[in-house]
Amino acid sequence: MENGGSNGGEVLPNGNGKAVQALQRSFGEVQGILEHNRMLIQEIGQNHESREAGGLSRNVALIRELNSNIARVVGLYSDLSTSFSGSLLAKGPDDAAANKRPRPAQ
């Protein structure tokens, strides 16, 4: 892909290779946390259905971990947004204009 898509780690022609790699790394981390959350939610559901005292008490710790993971994901997305915005602002006006879609003729 030429710009902004998954490119298998290639350096993009416009010099954004490092930015793309950082985005991919962050999204990979988010994906890992979300996958872990999915497993936590499954375990919480199983413990809840079993209604065993031990499982229900364990749910307290699992829910705390889930909450902490969600806060981490929010933080990662916030960092990604700030990073992405900063990289767009760092470009000159000519670069920003080059990335805009042409308007259709009316």
Side-chain angles (χ1 to χ4, degrees), residues 36-68:
H36 183 68
N37 284 356
R38 184 184 66 76
M39 293 186 309
L40 288 174
I41 291 167
Q42 285 178 341
E43 186 177 347
I44 289 166
Q46 290 169 352
N47 290 342
H48 183 75
E49 286 177 10
S50 75
R51 303 243 185 239
E52 294 177 9
L56 293 175
S57 343
R58 176 154 165 68
N59 276 0
V60 173
L62 294 174
I63 291 169
R64 284 187 179 138
E65 181 180 354
L66 184 63
N67 188 43
S68 172

Side-chain angles (χ1 to χ4, degrees), residues 8 14 19 27-28 30 33 36-37 41 44 49 51 56-57 67 70 77 80 83 88 94 97 101-105:
N14 62 2
F27 281 124
V30 166
I33 294 168
H36 183 68
N37 284 356
I41 291 167
I44 289 166
E49 286 177 10
R51 303 243 185 239
L56 293 175
S57 343
N67 188 43
I70 291 169
Y77 276 131
L80 279 168
S83 237
L88 289 179
D94 293 335
R101 289 190 220 158
R103 293 184 184 198

